[in-house]
Amino acid sequence: MDELREDCGIFGIWNNADAARLTYLGLYALQHRGQESAGIAISDGTKLYSYKQMGYVNDVFNEHVLSILHGKNAIGHVRYSTYGASELRNAQPFAVEYKNGSLAIAHNGNIVNYEAIRSRLEAEGSIFQSTMDTEVIVHLTAKAEGETIHDRLASALNELKGAYSIVLLTERELIAARDPYGFRPLVIGELNGSLVFASETCALDLIGAHYIRDVLAGEMIVVSGDSMRSYMFSNKTPRASQCVFEHIYFARPDSIIFGKSVYSIRTALGRILGMESGVEADMVVPVPDSGVPAAIGFSQQTGIPFQMALIRNHYVGRTFIQPHQTIRDFNVKVKLNPIAEIISGKRIIIIDDSIVRGTTSKTLVKMIRDAGAKEVHMRISSPPIDYSCYYGIDTPTRAELISSSHTVKEIEQFIGADSLRYMSIEGLRKVVGEDADNFCYACFTGDYPEPFELTKRDHQLILFDEGSLHG
Ligand code: SF4
């Protein structure tokens, strides 16, 4: 249940008279990947225009804003900050002018050698506008030698370590690229002759584009005029390490990512979980929304009836005003409410996608018991999360992850369930199928594909905007 956060969604479109509006819609479909800020950069072939603000896509853009974004080529971004504070200067697309013209970039992922690169660039005299890792890509590209923008960008990307799916727009080109591990998804689509790039296919579906294929790990696609060229830009060819958690939780279930249907993967996870850890019970209840497909699979496998006995309030934002009086379990209750009439006197199997700190699961189990359940069994469609992610998912520190320091039995006691079982790594690999070796499982195994730095600088510059001064 939404204890982990994705760090961004990106979108790009080439050669469409309605580029601004279609980018807005693409971002709308990708809103689940980031809710802090949204932005669009657009090119009319001679100039770049950019607009970004804090807030949801629908709050940031309106008819007036979209009407002043002229051009046929655009990129867009929705952000959840995993690196750099949640403030306007860190919103994307990040647009700059440099000696060769203008460029704007939108990035999904985390650059794990960011601190080292930034320190080196600062020692050489670079001045940074933001505190986010994406800005080093711009500085490295601006400083790189090379005839073309894609030569310079390739040179920049080859200095990076970590996760990046990017779309970059200049006055005359749109470039999409994915890091050589392919941590984050990026798909290519087509809409009436216009090329489209998006983090997930749900963005293609909304605008009526059809899915062509994924941008490959280590591939750069350069679009200009009527041509699309593909380059394998990377000077290293590691084993692909696509984020398996995209399939378990982050991506929308109606998307195809890494070449597979997210919904199919999640229901298959539920079926395997049912095989591995079935238990006698009266009903299978998902923690909505992310637990629903796995609960359907679990129910199909075990024959235990599926019931939507937990109802989610879809209109709760990331923060809300707390009540004055103490309401027991308020933070979970405001999002989820059990239907006591269905639950009372029954043996319940709750299906969730993950347990992070354990506190949410503990509250949930208690709420279901308070609603009259006779037994509460918890089944988790991922293996225990023992390690933090450094590749673009906002996980707490290892010390805060309950399974890094507790056995399954101890967690079962802590959350107060009659039984607790997790998906096995073998089961997860089986579901992913023939591609299993091309995924990252580091948050379960600690086997990190790319080394990372743990230090984060303590940025001193605090910028206020007009709203915060008056607020
Ligand atoms: Fe995904 Fe986990 Fe790997 Fe991070 S560590 S990229 S969340 S699988």
Side-chain angles (χ1 to χ4, degrees):
M1 185 192 157
D2 52 4
E3 287 184 275
L4 300 175
R5 298 280 178 181
E6 177 59 85
D7 76 335
C8 296
I10 61 176
F11 184 90
I13 187 161
W14 181 259
N15 192 26
N16 193 295
D18 213 7
R21 247 163 231 277
L22 293 172
T23 304
Y24 156 79
L25 290 172
L27 296 180
Y28 198 86
L30 297 172
Q31 185 77 84
H32 61 290
R33 298 183 71 89
Q35 301 86 38
E36 291 181 358
S37 63
I40 293 176
I42 193 159
S43 161
D44 63 5
T46 56
K47 284 195 181 68
L48 278 192
Y49 307 85
S50 163
Y51 184 83
K52 56 189 182 178
Q53 280 297 331
M54 303 303 289
Y56 283 65
V57 176
N58 227 14
D59 300 328
V60 170
F61 296 101
N62 54 38
E63 282 289 343
H64 173 66
V65 171
L66 292 173
S67 72
I68 57 173
L69 290 171
H70 294 294
K72 291 169 95 174
N73 313 314
I75 61 170
H77 190 268
V78 284
R79 180 169 195 251
Y80 172 79
S81 52
T82 51
Y83 207 107
S86 175
E87 53 192 17
L88 188 55
R89 67 173 161 159
N90 287 339
Q92 297 189 28
F94 188 77
V96 294
E97 279 187 31
Y98 74 119
K99 63 178 189 258
N100 292 307
S102 307
L103 63 85
I105 186 168
H107 166 214
N108 174 206
N110 256 52
I111 297 164
V112 296
N113 62 340
Y114 158 72
E115 295 289 355
I117 295 176
R118 178 162 174 158
S119 298
R120 194 192 80 214
L121 290 167
E122 285 176 331
E124 291 166 9
S126 292
I127 295 169
F128 280 73
Q129 296 174 30
S130 76
T131 59
M132 64 181 166
D133 54 355
T134 310
E135 191 175 350
V136 298
I137 306 177
V138 173
H139 286 262
L140 290 171
T141 305
K143 287 173 87 116
E145 301 290 329
E147 285 285 300
T148 61
I149 177 70
H150 52 275
D151 288 340
R152 294 191 288 276
L153 179 63
S155 158
L157 297 183
N158 274 315
E159 292 203 42
L160 307 182
K161 291 182 178 167
Y164 54 87
S165 283
I166 60 169
V167 282
L168 182 147
L169 187 69
T170 71
E171 295 90 339
R172 284 171 294 280
E173 292 112 340
L174 193 161
I175 303 178
R178 227 172 130 208
D179 69 72
Y181 292 88
F183 284 107
R184 300 281 143 238
L186 186 58
V187 298
I188 313 171
E190 193 263 342
L191 173 68
N192 303 329
S194 304
L195 273 172
V196 185
F197 299 91
S199 295
E200 297 180 31
T201 57
C202 61
L204 306 183
D205 295 340
L206 182 60
I207 63 167
H210 72 267
Y211 168 61
I212 300 175
R213 67 170 174 90
D214 286 17
V215 176
L216 303 175
E219 184 183 26
M220 178 186 292
I221 292 179
V222 182
V223 190
S224 63
D226 292 331
S227 79
M228 174 181 121
R229 286 156 293 154
S230 160
Y231 304 87
M232 297 310 287
F233 69 87
S234 178
N235 55 17
K236 56 185 175 186
T237 50
R239 182 171 59 74
S241 303
Q242 305 169 115
C243 173
V244 79
F245 235 114
E246 292 274 359
H247 270 308
I248 295 169
Y249 169 63
F250 298 116
R252 260 175 52 167
D254 51 338
S255 284
I256 294 167
I257 56 157
F258 309 139
K260 290 206 162 88
S261 151
V262 175
Y263 183 87
S264 300
I265 294 274
R266 287 186 193 162
T267 47
L269 286 170
R271 282 195 292 277
I272 297 279
L273 193 60
M275 273 183 224
E276 289 183 343
S277 59
V279 60
E280 275 196 24
D282 300 308
M283 68 182 73
V284 176
V285 176
V287 177
D289 294 323
S290 52
V292 172
I296 290 171
F298 194 98
S299 169
Q300 286 169 346
Q301 180 62 38
T302 58
I304 301 170
F306 172 96
Q307 286 278 14
M308 282 298 292
L310 270 173
I311 301 301
R312 186 184 190 92
N313 180 348
H314 286 100
Y315 304 98
V316 179
R318 289 189 63 194
T319 55
F320 37 81
I321 297 164
Q322 299 281 335
H324 284 306
Q325 70 188 79
T326 309
I327 298 178
R328 216 156 31 96
D329 309 329
F330 181 75
N331 284 341
V332 178
K333 245 182 193 167
V334 77
K335 293 179 191 159
L336 291 172
N337 198 21
I339 304 176
E341 202 181 8
I342 300 178
I343 284 173
S344 184
K346 300 291 194 318
R347 298 166 298 169
I348 312 291
I349 301 174
I350 303 288
I351 308 286
D352 205 351
D353 50 72
S354 53
I355 294 181
V356 180
R357 295 177 178 85
T359 45
T360 301
S361 304
K362 185 184 171 88
T363 306
L364 196 60
V365 170
K366 187 169 177 307
M367 270 169 55
I368 289 164
R369 282 205 196 283
D370 289 349
K374 197 158 78 180
E375 292 174 18
V376 183
H377 302 275
M378 195 96 180
R379 295 294 180 267
I380 306 298
S381 63
S382 69
I385 305 173
D386 286 358
Y387 299 87
S388 301
C389 175
Y390 296 92
Y391 309 127
I393 302 302
D394 188 24
T395 37
T397 61
R398 198 166 175 224
E400 294 170 89
L401 295 167
I402 190 167
S403 51
S404 73
S405 55
H406 294 74
T407 63
V408 173
K409 198 75 204 158
E410 286 167 342
I411 301 169
E412 180 183 288
Q413 282 162 4
F414 175 75
I415 67 173
D418 291 287
S419 73
L420 166 68
R421 299 286 182 277
Y422 289 87
M423 171 66 117
S424 68
I425 284 276
E426 298 70 40
L428 176 58
R429 289 179 60 92
K430 200 157 143 193
V431 169
V432 176
E434 70 285 359
D435 247 5
D437 284 343
N438 293 330
F439 278 84
C440 172
Y441 306 89
C443 45
F444 312 122
T445 62
D447 182 11
Y448 290 99
E450 178 94 291
F452 51 86
E453 294 170 21
L454 282 172
T455 51
K456 279 193 181 181
R457 70 173 60 200
D458 183 15
H459 290 280
Q460 301 296 320
L461 177 63
I462 311 295
L463 296 179
F464 292 104
D465 60 20
E466 209 183 338
S468 60
L469 285 175
H470 290 106

